[in-house]
Amino acid sequence: TQLLEQSPQFLSIQEGENLTVYCNSSSVFSSLQWYRQEPGEGPVLLVTVVTGGEVKKLKRLTFQFGDARKDSSLHITAAQPGDTGLYLCAGFIAGNNRKLIWGLGTSLAVNP
Amino acid sequence: ETGVTQSPTHLIKTRGQQVTLRCSSQSGHNTVSWYQQALGQGPQFIFQYYREEENGRGNFPPRFSGLQFPNYSSELNVNALELDDSALYLCASSLGRSTNEKLFFGSGTQLSVL
């Protein structure tokens, strides 16, 4: 059973388009993180969200944590080829802060 | 560059063999976590070491073991390798074991078991 469901699994879009990636769970998370991973590299942390309803912006990327802290979204505006990569969400379930739970990732390809 | 280095970068072993993977944590970091990432999957938590002691373990059998040294570098050992152990093994270091601490990942060791 996958505790964190990410959708879509694959996404191929043209440069300049907008997109949203979702991370959903039936469990409550004390915090949730978004990472970007390129082939042959480890994941790199983009953002951590902690408070229900929280919205964080990182240039063209907007991250939102659901009010109930069970879901999160990543929205990219005007995608660029440099945004290509695997986007992973990960979080600590409330009351269990030793094991980081990961989603399977969304593989994004932005075509020029 | 995260300051976390892993060696070797690639490794090919045969079923039944044993393997040791190494990780040098970022300077000042006393916590190291190991993850297994199969192709097309998210990372799976193997275990974490904090100041040379195991500080949590995921759902991996005992043939997956580890060590952390006084300089906070770490090793992951896998005995009796199985085909399904083929994966990217990632090491992440952090300043402490708190969930607020940012994880810095190495580039991983790609292990192929034939």
Side-chain angles (χ1 to χ4, degrees):
Chain A
T1 304
Q2 192 64 29
L3 286 174
L4 271 175
E5 300 280 352
Q6 281 192 244
S7 61
Q9 189 176 357
F10 299 97
L11 195 53
S12 180
I13 61 172
Q14 293 301 120
E15 183 175 0
E17 291 183 7
N18 302 331
L19 68 117
T20 303
V21 174
Y22 300 93
C23 180
N24 296 299
S25 178
S26 57
S27 300
V28 176
F29 284 80
S30 56
S31 66
L32 213 140
Q33 304 170 358
W34 283 93
Y35 291 81
R36 179 165 164 265
Q37 185 177 20
E38 297 191 37
E41 299 293 328
V44 176
L45 180 67
L46 297 174
V47 78
T48 300
V49 285
V50 178
T51 307
E54 183 176 4
V55 176
K56 283 191 173 179
K57 291 195 174 187
L58 187 66
K59 296 182 181 178
R60 295 176 293 101
L61 277 60
T62 302
F63 304 86
Q64 186 161 8
F65 201 12
D67 291 340
R69 291 186 289 135
K70 292 183 178 182
D71 54 85
S72 182
S73 63
L74 157 60
H75 182 79
I76 302 179
T77 304
Q80 299 176 1
D83 296 328
T84 294
L86 179 68
Y87 289 84
L88 293 154
C89 67
F92 289 99
I93 291 179
N96 182 353
N97 63 359
R98 291 194 174 184
K99 184 177 173 182
L100 190 61
I101 307 296
W102 293 80
L104 296 182
T106 293
S107 182
L108 172 65
V110 182
N111 306 301
Chain B
E1 292 294 325
T2 63
V4 179
T5 57
Q6 291 187 242
S7 62
T9 55
H10 295 82
L11 200 52
I12 299 175
K13 290 285 189 179
T14 56
R15 196 169 44 181
Q17 285 188 310
Q18 177 267 343
V19 69
T20 298
L21 310 182
R22 295 179 175 82
C23 172
S24 293
S25 57
Q26 189 175 107
S27 178
H29 286 188
N30 57 19
T31 304
V32 171
S33 304
W34 285 93
Y35 293 84
Q36 180 195 66
Q37 186 176 23
L39 191 62
Q41 307 281 322
Q44 297 289 321
F45 175 71
I46 303 175
F47 42 57
Q48 182 186 79
Y49 279 85
Y50 170 70
R51 292 187 174 181
E52 302 179 61
E53 300 273 337
E54 187 177 292
N55 184 53
R57 188 180 180 94
N59 297 325
F60 280 81
R63 58 190 186 83
F64 284 78
S65 63
L67 278 175
Q68 188 178 33
F69 299 99
N71 67 354
Y72 302 133
S73 66
S74 179
E75 284 183 357
L76 163 65
N77 298 291
V78 187
N79 293 323
L81 283 167
E82 300 177 0
L83 298 180
D84 286 348
D85 295 333
S86 296
L88 179 68
Y89 287 85
L90 294 163
C91 159
S93 77
S94 56
L95 270 173
R97 55 184 174 174
S98 164
T99 59
N100 295 324
E101 297 295 344
K102 181 177 176 180
L103 295 176
F104 293 82
F105 283 87
S107 298
T109 293
Q110 185 67 54
L111 173 65
S112 298
V113 182
L114 306 178

